[in-house]
Amino acid sequence: MKRHLVLMFAAAVCCLLFAAAAQAKEVKIVLFPFEAHSAEDLTGVQSGIATMLPGRVSMPGQILVLEPPGAKAEAGQKPRVIPATEQLAMAKKAGADYLLTGSITKMGAIISIDARLVKLAASDSPVPISVQSQGFDAIIPQLNILAQKTRNTILETIAPDKTAAGSMAADDDSYVQPRKQSRSYKTAAEEPEDVYQPPPRRPQSKPSRFDSDKPKRSYGAGPGALFESAPALSATVDGKPYTCICAGDVNGDGKKELIASGPDSIDIFQLSGGSLAKIAQIPVGVDEHVIHVDAGDFNGNGTDELYVSCYETQNARSFIIEFQQNQYARIADKQRWFYRSYRLSDASVKLIGQEAGSISPFSGEIYTMEWKEGKLVSREQFILPGSRGIYGFGEGDIDADGATDFLIFDKGLFNTEPDLIMVSTTSKTVWRDTKKLGGTPNFFSKYTTMNEMEQKEYVPLRIICADITPDGRWAVIIGKNNRRGGSVVSKLFDFTEGQLQCLLWDGSDLAPNWTSPMVKDYVVDYLLDDIDKDGVQEIVLLSSKSEGMSGAVANKISMYKAVKK
């Protein structure tokens, strides 16, 4: 009898294990190019959907997006439209469980995107999923909704109890609601390395960090220039070009250091009298192309860590450095995240991370990051109006109406370069730059299997939003690089001059309050901080000037102090 009970118990355990394994199975989906029905050329919309939708539909460990074999289009050509019978055969050949296809129709200003989600095991019962956009500017938020509906439909079949009840908030339909993992871990020790941890879904109310009881402000005469006209410090570093600068106490001496990085080098400088002294250099691996470096004490031990975001061809290879036992040591390696130390509109600073996708590196969801028993893990999804790259936005009450605004470098579907726009928390565009702010010299190479070639991925210039004016208006600090003849089709490094600007909202536009002197050849990066800890904030500007055909440049670091009021 006991033996019989033992066998029954073992069989039950096996059934549970097999059920859990089935539930944890990663679903595979193939996304085919969408047809276009319009008298206008919608190639840009088709290409935009093909580029952006995969990263929005995929969910690590749950939904894997596959490329349809033989369906790619050459660069600049219209996507190849594939008959339904061929789609089924190609999806089966790729080993997919689902396929997603559809059409785009434009009638007047209305753009309708009508998709069909087909489960290969029941191909005669496709699920229709449709969204509509009022003009081209609203397509991206609608793609977010389309992707979320696709996720929901798939997850309902594999984990019905995990699917969120109800719809997304009516006033923020661009928000893509995350899903819980089907697995859970009781302690940090049980978590696998670099575990992906989507958070509980967001409540239906507005995020509390966007709420504000600040009154609207009237616009009188603006304050005088917020920063000195001449630099308090100017230093030149010859050699390879830098692409990023940040600041922090990274060696625990109580002083803030400046950290300047290039694609394959990280140098640490300290203020020494009226000059900069290089005190350390951190080695970078041959397969680690540095694209951004941030500093901050996010593990709470009193010394700022360095979060080095790297990418090499198809994968992120980021790492984290901390000063330990009188040397800079790696405390995390081969991370699949891009990192950023981000200042919120309430002046708090959070570490956020975006999981780098192989198709589009900046297409993943953004999460707040947290150290837990010596390991950095993802926590809550970081609320943004729509899907954005981690380095292309800043926030604050820019137009002084008592509500949080976002300044965003937005490329859209048709622009060769991103435009600076201001959007509300519901993704409504409330202002668009006409001065051609921005112009980035920073990029890295990515390899796309869809085109089987390397392409450039651009990292936008920094957007700094700061509540530093005496009349309560927010300042916006941003660079502007000018190309030869103002042409947007010139080569990337055909920059002739650049300038850093501090802008204030005047009631209808962002108007200059302070500008730096013009630099040759371009503005690289900048930061706002109290570097020398004298109670007065400074702008630190990094610019670069070519020194001939050798590829060497003169990197110039200039520091402008705020005017004491």
Side-chain angles (χ1 to χ4, degrees):
M1 182 64 180
K2 285 184 178 181
R3 183 173 179 273
H4 180 66
L5 289 173
V6 169
L7 289 173
M8 289 180 64
F9 178 75
V13 170
C14 289
C15 289
L16 288 172
L17 290 174
F18 282 125
Q23 187 178 17
K25 177 180 179 291
E26 189 172 47
V27 174
K28 299 176 181 177
I29 179 172
V30 174
L31 273 57
F32 286 94
F34 282 38
E35 295 183 60
H37 303 294
S38 174
E40 299 180 36
D41 184 7
L42 298 180
T43 302
V45 180
Q46 291 174 288
S47 300
I49 291 175
T51 300
M52 292 185 284
L53 204 54
R56 288 161 167 77
V57 171
S58 66
M59 296 181 68
Q62 292 182 290
I63 300 175
L64 174 65
V65 177
L66 304 174
E67 293 181 7
K72 68 178 183 179
E74 298 299 327
Q77 295 184 356
K78 291 184 179 181
R80 176 193 163 206
V81 177
I82 302 166
T85 53
E86 287 187 37
Q87 289 179 356
L88 282 172
M90 293 168 71
K92 289 177 180 178
K93 181 179 178 181
D97 303 292
Y98 287 85
L99 70 85
L100 184 73
T101 187
S103 62
I104 310 160
T105 305
K106 187 174 187 295
M107 298 181 65
I110 301 298
I111 301 170
S112 178
I113 304 175
D114 302 296
R116 299 185 305 277
L117 179 64
V118 180
K119 186 175 183 179
L120 269 61
S123 59
D124 57 343
S125 301
V127 178
I129 304 173
S130 299
V131 294
Q132 281 192 347
S133 168
Q134 182 71 32
F136 293 114
D137 287 344
I139 285 181
I140 293 178
Q142 294 304 315
L143 281 182
N144 295 339
I145 296 174
L146 176 65
Q148 185 60 47
K149 288 180 177 180
T150 303
R151 282 179 169 186
N152 287 352
T153 303
I154 294 173
L155 291 175
E156 282 172 358
T157 64
I158 61 174
D161 59 321
K162 301 286 184 184
T163 306
S167 61
M168 289 177 285
D171 64 340
D172 192 2
D173 59 6
S174 65
Y175 179 83
V176 180
Q177 189 165 286
R179 295 273 151 218
K180 291 184 179 180
Q181 293 280 70
S182 58
R183 58 188 180 185
S184 62
Y185 303 94
K186 295 180 181 179
T187 66
E190 294 177 76
E191 295 179 0
E193 186 67 25
D194 194 23
V195 66
Y196 179 88
Q197 296 181 333
R201 66 185 182 93
R202 162 182 174 256
Q204 301 301 308
S205 59
K206 270 191 175 182
S208 59
R209 76 182 183 90
F210 295 152
D211 295 340
S212 174
D213 56 1
K214 294 181 179 179
K216 292 185 178 181
R217 300 186 179 95
S218 58
Y219 303 98
L226 296 176
F227 297 92
E228 300 285 358
S229 58
L233 178 145
S234 183
T236 300
V237 182
D238 294 322
K240 294 182 179 180
Y242 290 137
T243 55
C244 180
I245 193 168
C246 68
D249 179 9
V250 295
N251 57 12
D253 64 353
K255 302 175 183 178
K256 284 194 174 182
E257 288 76 42
L258 285 175
I259 300 93
S261 67
D264 55 7
S265 64
I266 303 172
D267 296 333
I268 301 177
F269 298 88
Q270 196 164 66
L271 282 172
S272 179
S275 62
L276 284 178
K278 183 176 175 180
I279 61 173
Q281 184 174 66
I282 297 174
V284 175
V286 293
D287 60 347
E288 296 170 334
H289 181 109
V290 178
I291 63 172
H292 209 270
V293 178
D294 289 82
D297 180 20
F298 295 105
N299 61 11
N301 65 358
T303 301
D304 290 342
E305 309 89 57
L306 281 176
Y307 295 83
V308 184
S309 297
C310 302
Y311 195 85
E312 179 60 27
T313 309
Q314 285 185 285
N315 300 290
R317 297 180 183 274
S318 302
F319 58 91
I320 304 169
I321 294 285
E322 189 172 61
F323 195 71
Q324 296 178 347
Q325 298 179 352
N326 208 35
Q327 64 178 349
Y328 293 96
R330 296 195 180 198
I331 58 174
D333 209 2
K334 296 181 180 178
Q335 303 292 289
R336 64 173 183 261
W337 299 85
F338 295 135
Y339 298 113
R340 181 181 176 188
S341 174
Y342 183 73
R343 185 174 295 276
L344 280 67
S345 57
D346 63 3
S348 63
V349 179
K350 286 186 178 293
L351 179 65
I352 58 176
Q354 183 171 37
E355 190 173 28
S358 58
I359 297 176
S360 178
F362 294 126
S363 64
E365 306 289 2
I366 299 176
Y367 293 89
T368 58
M369 310 298 289
E370 178 183 308
W371 285 95
K372 183 178 178 182
E373 299 188 14
K375 187 181 299 182
L376 188 64
V377 296
S378 59
R379 285 300 178 226
E380 298 176 355
Q381 184 172 349
F382 188 72
I383 307 300
L384 282 174
S387 297
R388 307 291 178 184
I390 191 170
Y391 303 119
F393 59 87
E395 69 176 73
D397 184 9
I398 309 301
D399 57 5
D401 64 351
T404 299
D405 307 295
F406 283 85
L407 279 174
I408 295 169
F409 276 119
D410 183 70
K411 188 173 182 180
L413 296 175
F414 306 103
N415 297 344
T416 56
E417 292 190 347
D419 290 331
L420 183 67
I421 62 174
M422 183 163 66
V423 301
S424 67
T425 57
T426 57
S427 287
K428 180 181 178 181
T429 300
V430 296
W431 173 85
R432 186 176 292 273
D433 168 44
T434 59
K435 306 178 186 71
K436 296 298 180 183
L437 296 166
T440 179
N442 190 5
F443 69 91
F444 60 95
S445 296
K446 63 178 181 181
Y447 179 82
T448 60
T449 55
M450 184 174 292
N451 294 324
E452 294 184 351
M453 62 184 295
E454 283 195 0
Q455 295 179 337
K456 291 178 179 178
E457 183 75 39
Y458 297 98
V459 182
L461 285 181
R462 194 185 299 268
I463 301 172
I464 298 176
C465 303
D467 187 6
I468 58 174
T469 65
D471 63 356
R473 277 184 281 184
W474 281 67
V476 174
I477 299 169
I478 194 164
K480 182 179 187 296
N481 286 319
N482 300 321
R483 285 191 166 90
R484 196 181 310 279
S487 172
V488 298
V489 296
S490 301
K491 294 180 180 179
L492 176 67
F493 286 104
D494 197 15
F495 292 118
T496 58
E497 60 184 9
Q499 186 180 54
L500 189 61
Q501 300 187 6
C502 176
L503 309 167
L504 301 180
W505 186 256
D506 65 4
S508 61
D509 197 4
L510 283 171
N513 165 269
W514 172 89
T515 58
S516 74
M518 284 289 183
V519 299
K520 300 286 184 180
D521 293 328
Y522 51 84
V523 170
V524 178
D525 198 9
Y526 34 88
L527 58 91
L528 176 67
D529 204 343
D530 181 8
I531 305 298
D532 53 10
K533 294 191 174 183
D534 63 352
V536 178
Q537 288 194 310
E538 296 94 17
I539 285 178
V540 178
L541 168 61
L542 171 64
S543 61
S544 287
K545 180 182 178 182
S546 173
E547 293 190 322
M549 301 298 293
S550 65
V553 302
N555 299 291
K556 188 175 181 180
I557 299 174
S558 306
M559 187 171 74
Y560 297 87
K561 297 189 75 69
V563 175
K564 295 182 179 179
K565 301 295 182 181

